[in-house]
Amino acid sequence: MVGFYKFMQLAQTPETGVWNQDYVYYVTERQYKHAGCKVEWPWFLNMPGLKYEKFDKSQVPQGLGLQYGFCCDGVVISTTLYMVWLLNENLKTGRFKIQRRSISDLKEAIGLHHRGKADIVVNATGLLARDLVTPEEAAKVHSVRGTTLLVESNAGKQYTVKDHDPEFPGEYLYVMSRQEGGTVIGGCFEKDAEHRKTIDPAQRQRYLDRVKKYVPHLLNSKGELDIVREQVGFRPGRVGGPRIELDQKWTHDNGGVALIHNYGHEGSGFLSSWGSSARVLKVVNDFLGFKAKL
Ligand SMILES: Cc1cc2nc3c(=O)[nH]c(=O)nc-3n(C[C@H](O)[C@H](O)[C@H](O)COP(=O)(O)OP(=O)(O)OC[C@H]3O[C@@H](n4cnc5c(N)ncnc54)[C@H](O)[C@@H]3O)c2cc1C
């Protein structure tokens, strides 16, 4: 929730890389049946102030096997632009010195503070947290493979078509246009498939077939997609969801330098980033308050 309102606000400033784009969401008949004929709205439809319009079966585009849907206000984060903006916002404060280092033990982070020794270490290492935390915690970390096509055309809106293909249950169509031009088409959610580093042709074809069916205005005059790039990424998943907490044992073992974990955000690390940061800040403040009392 924190993130949604923050990104809506950032969308008012073009150089952030965040921009408004209406969101269209459809659920197919077979997804509806797979869910036991239950209508399932995403959590964010309950957010106060969000404008939306729901569609029943008679109001969704006909002949495509769709059951229901909605459209609402939305934002897209063009991550390449957004990350640069975010970095610059931090640099502008003059309070940061950036270093690019690989560490093999979280203790090494203590000595990387530009004034000498850090009082607080935040572990935001995503999937690679599994190499830095205890074996019990590492066992909870897993990857969720995602593949996307970046194409030249612009969809005008964001689309999600929630479907249940029994042959490919971890796939459904999502489409997001970027502020700098082009559109990202996804996607899939495959657990522990890090050995698969490229998109296979059959999957690329399935993405094309879905676009042809649901978002045909993305195709060029030959009925094809002008693909700029194919991308494969691994979402940093964690059994039990994100871990945001003070590591009491590590903190005790390292002379009171606080270690705060912030990893395991899987497929929503951008969306949840402002909320997660607020939680990290609360953990920091609680820790400092506790220390001051001692
Ligand atoms: C295909 C795909 C689609 C996605 N779509 C969305 C979306 O629509 N919305 C959304 O919110 N999220 C989305 N995500 C998920 C999002 O990208 C992640 O949740 C997010 O990047 C996690 O951020 P993070 O900072 O926790 O980890 P990361 O982005 O992985 O960053 C971790 C950092 O820690 C550094 N690091 C790790 N180990 C070490 C070490 N030993 N020493 C030094 N540095 C280290 C890494 O170099 C890296 O810079 C998607 C992901 C994929 C793959």
Side-chain angles (χ1 to χ4, degrees):
M1 255 200 197
V2 173
F4 185 84
Y5 292 120
K6 184 70 189 175
F7 285 117
M8 281 297 210
Q9 182 200 336
L10 291 178
Q12 307 306 310
T13 311
E15 67 266 26
T16 59
V18 182
W19 67 319
N20 285 116
Q21 215 169 60
D22 289 347
Y23 184 38
V24 179
Y25 183 102
Y26 295 127
V27 176
T28 65
E29 288 163 357
R30 56 184 182 176
Q31 170 65 30
Y32 174 68
K33 284 187 189 131
H34 180 69
C37 296
K38 256 188 17 219
V39 172
E40 293 176 326
W41 302 113
W43 62 271
F44 54 80
L45 271 199
N46 292 325
M47 272 189 308
L50 182 76
K51 285 195 223 99
Y52 63 82
E53 187 186 349
K54 289 181 177 172
F55 310 126
D56 64 24
K57 199 168 170 55
S58 69
Q59 294 164 313
V60 291
Q62 300 297 297
L64 300 177
L66 298 172
Q67 182 72 30
Y68 65 95
F70 66 85
C71 72
C72 68
D73 296 339
V75 284
V76 170
I77 310 163
S78 278
T79 52
T80 39
L81 300 179
Y82 174 66
M83 294 304 278
V84 173
W85 174 79
L86 205 55
L87 181 66
N88 282 327
E89 285 300 289
N90 283 301
L91 289 176
K92 271 197 279 184
T93 66
R95 282 187 273 139
F96 292 87
K97 191 169 166 232
I98 292 166
Q99 302 189 48
R100 194 173 279 273
R101 297 277 179 87
S102 285
I103 56 168
S104 52
D105 189 310
L106 287 166
K107 280 181 198 156
E108 290 171 44
I110 301 174
L112 294 178
H113 194 281
H114 65 282
R115 290 206 205 103
K117 183 174 168 277
D119 296 319
I120 292 165
V121 172
V122 178
N123 171 25
T125 51
L127 189 55
L128 295 179
R130 64 190 173 194
D131 298 336
L132 298 168
V133 295
T134 60
E136 300 76 55
E137 282 298 335
K140 296 180 193 167
V141 178
H142 60 84
S143 63
V144 180
R145 181 177 179 264
T147 61
T148 55
L149 308 175
L150 175 65
V151 300
E152 283 181 9
S153 45
N154 193 310
K157 293 178 181 171
Q158 299 175 69
Y159 293 86
T160 293
V161 182
K162 271 277 167 112
D163 189 19
H164 177 76
D165 182 338
E167 231 186 306
F168 305 102
E171 287 187 11
Y172 64 83
L173 177 70
Y174 65 79
V175 166
M176 288 182 227
S177 292
R178 288 182 169 239
Q179 193 182 24
E180 68 272 30
T183 296
V184 176
I185 297 167
C188 68
F189 298 80
E190 278 175 80
K191 213 175 153 197
D192 297 323
E194 280 170 62
H195 55 288
R196 300 185 51 217
K197 302 212 187 297
T198 54
I199 301 188
D200 63 83
Q203 187 177 56
R204 188 190 306 119
Q205 186 59 45
R206 288 196 296 280
Y207 287 11
L208 177 64
D209 292 344
R210 290 177 195 132
V211 168
K212 274 187 182 159
K213 188 169 178 183
Y214 300 114
V215 200
H217 59 277
L218 271 176
L219 303 170
N220 64 20
S221 56
K222 292 184 203 143
E224 291 161 5
L225 287 171
D226 292 312
I227 298 175
V228 180
R229 206 167 49 233
E230 300 186 350
Q231 300 176 108
V232 178
F234 301 96
R235 302 174 182 92
R238 179 176 178 272
V239 175
R243 181 182 185 199
I244 305 177
E245 64 178 2
L246 176 74
D247 192 321
Q248 307 261 11
K249 180 170 183 329
W250 193 98
T251 301
H252 176 266
D253 293 350
N254 288 279
V257 175
L259 172 64
I260 296 153
H261 297 288
N262 181 14
Y263 64 87
H265 297 283
E266 202 170 312
S268 54
F270 281 93
L271 188 65
S272 63
S273 55
W274 288 87
S276 304
S277 309
R279 278 178 64 183
V280 169
L281 203 59
K282 174 155 187 344
V283 177
V284 169
N285 285 332
D286 288 351
F287 172 75
L288 294 177
F290 171 75
K291 231 173 136 178
K293 274 194 216 140
L294 288 178

